[in-house]
Amino acid sequence: MFEILVNVEEMRDDNPVVQTGFSLASRHHAYATGLNIVEVFPSTMAMPDVMAALATQEHEARRRDAWWAKQCSEHGVNGTWEVIRGVYVPVLARRSCMADITVSRLPNREAGFPAGMDYVTRVLLTAASAMLLVPPDWDGSFRHERVLVAWNSTKESMHALRAAVPFLREAKQVCLVDGANDESPGVAPPPLPVHDWLARQGITPHSVQQFPATAKAGEALLVQAFAMHADLLVMGAWGHSRMSELILGGTTRYVLNHAPLPVLLSH
């Protein structure tokens, strides 16, 4: 069964992450697990007052299982509610191992984290499942009639592409932005035969464009997504070295900080 993990930070009906998760689960007959993480900071573990507060928070969170069951019933999907107390990033990364897709939010630009140090980005570096990240003001729908795929022949982009197959098969329009190159034939591995692979999956891109040869590739991708009225952007995370992405920014960093639409990423 197709399984999705919904990272529920705000337990309310109009939470875009919750709405998008159930829209995805309903459309693809998926099992929907809602996860609430009761965040622990190791440096405070010896403080009795802190531990008492965490116990109360965990107890209150577990009582929301009826709310999740009601959401599942209303959307016609099967699912369960989980509460885990622990350090946020490793908990979410480890639990995602059991999911096909993890639904969460795009990084909060207002939280003040240094580039690459926000929770979502750190989970992306270690998460086992692809992540569907939604903007904070998203309407909660999960349409995928028009999908933009950023491809550069890396394992990251291949992982994202594999996760997106169910959506690409249903899409009315798929645009592939191809950034693969064969700069060192006979030395470096050749680009992956993505077009043949897509054909075997029953997917034929409606258009193929070259990846923008600019330092502002992330910005160019989002302009392209806007131009085609894309419902979803699919891309691999950390297409260059992870350290350069963290320190200097880059395509992934720009998209994470500015995407106005859901983004499906994989590492």
Side-chain angles (χ1 to χ4, degrees):
M1 172 176 277
F2 190 55
E3 297 222 8
I4 66 168
L5 179 68
V6 184
N7 182 32
V8 183
E9 296 179 316
E10 298 179 27
M11 291 172 278
R12 51 186 178 82
D13 294 356
D14 62 347
N15 180 347
V17 172
V18 171
Q19 292 181 328
T20 302
F22 276 114
S23 179
L24 168 61
S26 178
R27 185 161 182 168
H28 292 275
H29 309 290
Y31 192 88
T33 298
L35 173 66
N36 179 254
I37 300 172
V38 177
E39 186 174 9
V40 168
F41 297 93
S43 60
T44 66
M45 294 290 287
M47 302 178 184
D49 290 348
V50 171
M51 297 306 296
L54 288 173
T56 299
Q57 184 180 348
E58 182 177 354
H59 175 71
E60 292 300 319
R62 290 190 183 280
R63 293 178 58 188
R64 299 306 299 272
D65 60 340
W67 167 72
W68 190 258
K70 181 174 179 288
Q71 295 288 324
C72 289
S73 176
E74 291 177 350
H75 290 87
V77 302
N78 293 321
T80 192
W81 177 245
E82 292 184 12
V83 177
I84 301 177
R85 189 197 303 193
V87 181
Y88 191 100
V89 171
V91 165
L92 182 54
R94 185 171 184 267
R95 182 56 183 84
S96 75
C97 293
M98 297 182 71
D100 294 292
I101 288 178
T102 298
V103 184
S104 191
R105 58 172 173 79
L106 281 163
N108 181 0
R109 296 194 296 273
E110 308 302 324
F113 286 106
M117 291 296 104
D118 60 272
Y119 285 171
V120 175
T121 303
R122 287 163 59 198
V123 171
L124 265 174
L125 288 169
T126 54
S129 73
M131 298 190 73
L132 177 64
L133 304 179
V134 298
D137 57 351
W138 191 245
D139 63 9
S141 62
F142 184 65
R143 302 175 297 269
H144 41 76
E145 295 183 357
R146 294 174 296 274
V147 182
L148 179 64
V149 178
W151 170 257
N152 63 353
S153 197
T154 61
K155 66 179 180 64
E156 293 88 356
S157 60
M158 190 66 229
H159 289 164
L161 193 58
R162 290 179 65 89
V165 164
F167 316 138
L168 298 176
R169 285 175 176 159
E170 293 186 356
K172 294 181 179 178
Q173 181 182 358
V174 176
C175 176
L176 182 71
V177 182
D178 193 347
N181 58 64
D182 193 10
E183 294 180 348
S184 304
V187 179
L192 296 170
V194 66
H195 297 282
D196 293 340
W197 184 87
L198 285 170
R200 292 195 298 273
Q201 307 305 316
I203 301 165
T204 303
H206 292 75
S207 64
V208 178
Q209 303 180 15
Q210 290 301 116
F211 201 87
T214 170
K216 297 182 177 180
E219 183 176 355
L221 274 178
L222 294 185
V223 168
Q224 175 62 22
F226 177 81
M228 69 175 288
H229 304 287
D231 302 308
L232 177 67
L233 171 61
V234 177
M235 63 183 292
W238 321 111
H240 300 290
S241 76
R242 293 178 178 177
M243 187 57 69
S244 69
E245 287 272 1
L246 289 170
I247 295 174
L248 303 177
T251 303
T252 306
R253 169 61 29 203
Y254 188 90
V255 169
L256 286 172
N257 281 334
H258 298 90
L261 77 166
V263 184
L264 180 66
L265 295 109
S266 185
H267 75 104

